[in-house]
């Protein structure tokens, strides 16, 4: 008989990725528990332990993070609390109770000086408070050796249930004939639904360590916007601008494409291209003209 795994999804009630994980777990192999911040204090270890026991949790997916990249520059304390201290605490709890932990990190741990996709072996030298605190979270988890830890670095998320870059571009394109979009930052656009499905595949292998997981291919923000506008059937032309013409508080890597071959080697699965996923997303979840 197939055994059901009970997953606690932190960030599963309101987060972009957390809600996608909850959505794809509507299958017999997984049961998802998604308490909101008013139902579970994630910084209270005794509350978490009680929750784990009560619901017979065997896997925690941690999607909670301080994700406001620019705001983090002015709020480093809170960024450290969420991005470093929370994973450290979860790691201790999971290790002691032999619970599997799937924790999410980011392409922003890299400085972007490479011109070929980043592997998990590449050195991480983050440039922003967000990237630095996310890397500290990874390090806190990896400082103890245990075999039930998966860290998934992902990138440039779009998907249903919460406003994201693609939504914003489509709604701006309805109102404007042209939009200025940055073209000198290149990354791996990733559909949350695909990422969630692949995360489950990885969790089901019982492997451990750091993995990169993103849709196949690469794009600049301008290319991603352009494709989204095309999929939505809108008439608006994105104008490529440089990062210096669109200054942002936090420094971002100019190139952060992720090499996901380690994931494919372990699972035998290959994520599809971001353009295919974007089409799926726009056709399923956006009003097209
Ligand atoms: N979004 C991207 O493009 C991207 C790219 C690379 C990596 N990642 C990583 O992927 C993961 C998921 O990102 P995401 O975009 O899904 O994040 P998100 O949409 O910003 O969701 C973050 C979640 O954390 C919760 N949260 C924040 N502060 C909290 C607190 N003090 N106590 C309890 N809950 C709190 C939020 O709850 P409330 O709604 O109640 O605030 C929300 O559910 C993160 O680890 C992120 O670093 C994201």
């Amino acid at each position: 008989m197939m055994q059901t795994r009970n997953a606690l999804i932190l960030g599963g009630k309101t987060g972009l990725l957390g809600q996608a994980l909850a959505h794809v777990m509507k299958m017999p192999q997984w049961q998802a528990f998604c308490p909101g911040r008013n139902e579970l204090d994630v910084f209270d270890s005794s509350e978490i332990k009680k929750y784990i026991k009560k619901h017979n949790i065997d896997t925690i997916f941690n999607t909670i993070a301080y994700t406001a990249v620019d705001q983090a520059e002015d709020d480093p304390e809170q960024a450290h609390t969420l991005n470093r201290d929370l994973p450290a605490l979860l790691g201790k709890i999971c290790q002691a109770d032999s619970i599997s932990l799937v924790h999410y990190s980011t392409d922003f741990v890299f400085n972007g000086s490479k011109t070929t996709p980043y592997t998990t072996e590449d050195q991480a030298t983050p440039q922003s408070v967000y990237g630095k605190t996310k890397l500290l979270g990874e390090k806190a988890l990896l400082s103890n050796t245990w075999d039930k830890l998966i860290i998934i670095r992902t990138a440039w998320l779009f998907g249903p249930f919460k406003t994201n870059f693609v939504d914003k571009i489509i709604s701006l394109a309805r109102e404007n004939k042209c939009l200025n979009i940055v073209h000198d930052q290149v990354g791996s656009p990733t559909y949350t639904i695909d990422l969630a499905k692949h995360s489950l595949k990885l969790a089901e292998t019982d492997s451990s360590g750091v993995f990169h997981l993103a849709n196949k291919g690469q794009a600049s923000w301008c290319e991603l916007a352009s494709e989204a506008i095309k999929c939505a059937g809108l008439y608006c032309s994105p104008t490529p601008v440089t990062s210096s013409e669109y200054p942002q508080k936090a420094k971002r890597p100019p190139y952060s494409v992720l090499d996901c071959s380690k994931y494919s080697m372990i699972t035998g699965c290959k994520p599809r291209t971001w353009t295919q996923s974007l089409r799926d997303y726009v056709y399923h979840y956006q009003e097209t003209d």
Side-chain angles (χ1 to χ4, degrees), residues 250-266:
K251 200 168 172 202
R252 286 153 166 85
Y255 179 91
S256 61
V257 177
L258 297 176
D259 175 328
C260 303
S261 52
K262 184 175 168 191
Y263 164 78
S264 297
M265 221 166 60
I266 295 283

Side-chain angles (χ1 to χ4, degrees), residues 113-141:
S113 61
K114 270 188 86 179
T115 50
T116 54
Y118 278 94
T119 72
T120 53
E121 303 301 311
D122 282 318
Q123 207 194 341
T125 42
Q127 304 291 295
S128 61
V129 169
Y130 170 70
K132 284 176 189 162
T133 54
K134 290 294 291 182
L135 184 61
L136 288 170
E138 290 186 14
K139 285 187 172 162
L141 285 168

Side-chain angles (χ1 to χ4, degrees), residues 5-107:
R5 285 178 68 166
N6 292 331
L8 168 57
I9 306 175
L10 300 177
K13 195 152 198 177
T14 55
L16 181 60
L17 174 58
Q19 291 181 87
L21 278 164
H23 181 74
V24 304
M25 276 188 204
K26 287 177 187 152
M27 54 160 104
Q29 298 96 307
W30 289 91
Q31 187 175 10
F33 295 86
C34 306
R37 56 162 95 204
N38 300 331
E39 295 151 286
L40 177 67
D41 177 357
V42 291
F43 289 98
D44 184 334
S45 45
S46 68
E47 255 199 56
I48 300 181
K49 283 180 190 164
K50 254 191 251 164
Y51 196 95
I52 289 173
K53 208 165 179 188
K54 183 172 174 198
H55 299 286
N56 205 14
I57 299 296
D58 53 58
T59 310
I60 295 181
F61 289 80
N62 179 36
T63 73
I64 291 179
Y66 194 109
T67 55
V69 177
D70 291 310
Q71 210 174 300
E73 298 295 312
D74 293 325
D75 193 8
E77 214 171 292
Q78 187 63 5
H80 278 87
T81 304
L82 283 167
N83 295 347
R84 178 196 60 192
D85 301 347
L86 179 62
L89 175 73
L90 294 173
K92 278 192 192 129
I93 294 170
C94 289
Q95 193 173 13
D97 287 357
S98 200
I99 306 275
S100 297
L101 175 63
V102 180
H103 172 74
Y104 291 88
S105 190
T106 172
D107 56 331

Side-chain angles (χ1 to χ4, degrees), residues 110-257:
F110 297 115
N111 66 9
S113 61
K114 270 188 86 179
T115 50
T116 54
Y118 278 94
T119 72
T120 53
E121 303 301 311
D122 282 318
Q123 207 194 341
T125 42
Q127 304 291 295
S128 61
V129 169
Y130 170 70
K132 284 176 189 162
T133 54
K134 290 294 291 182
L135 184 61
L136 288 170
E138 290 186 14
K139 285 187 172 162
L141 285 168
L142 293 166
S143 63
N144 293 319
T145 324
W146 47 302
D147 60 2
K148 289 192 163 192
L149 167 69
I150 290 175
I151 296 176
I152 297 176
R153 291 188 187 136
T154 189
W156 293 35
L157 299 183
F158 64 86
F161 315 125
K162 185 172 177 178
T163 306
N164 56 80
F165 176 79
V166 169
D167 297 351
K168 283 182 200 150
I169 291 296
I170 289 177
S171 88
L172 282 169
R174 288 187 201 286
E175 313 288 325
N176 296 279
K177 285 211 162 55
C178 57
L179 294 170
N180 291 343
I181 323 259
V182 168
H183 80 97
D184 56 0
Q185 288 170 31
V186 173
S188 303
T190 301
Y191 187 29
T192 52
I193 299 288
D194 290 2
L195 172 60
K197 286 180 184 164
H198 288 297
S199 298
L200 298 193
K201 287 213 159 75
L202 196 52
E204 283 162 5
T205 63
D206 287 326
S207 46
S208 67
V210 178
F211 293 86
H212 288 174
L213 200 33
N215 278 119
K216 191 177 169 195
Q218 63 177 55
S220 69
W221 291 111
C222 192
E223 286 165 332
L224 174 56
S226 177
E227 196 65 27
I229 292 166
K230 214 167 25 170
C231 289
L234 298 168
Y235 297 95
C236 165
S237 53
T239 309
V241 297
T242 61
S243 304
S244 58
E245 289 173 274
Y246 183 74
Q248 287 172 298
K249 191 133 203 174
K251 200 168 172 202
R252 286 153 166 85
Y255 179 91
S256 61
V257 177

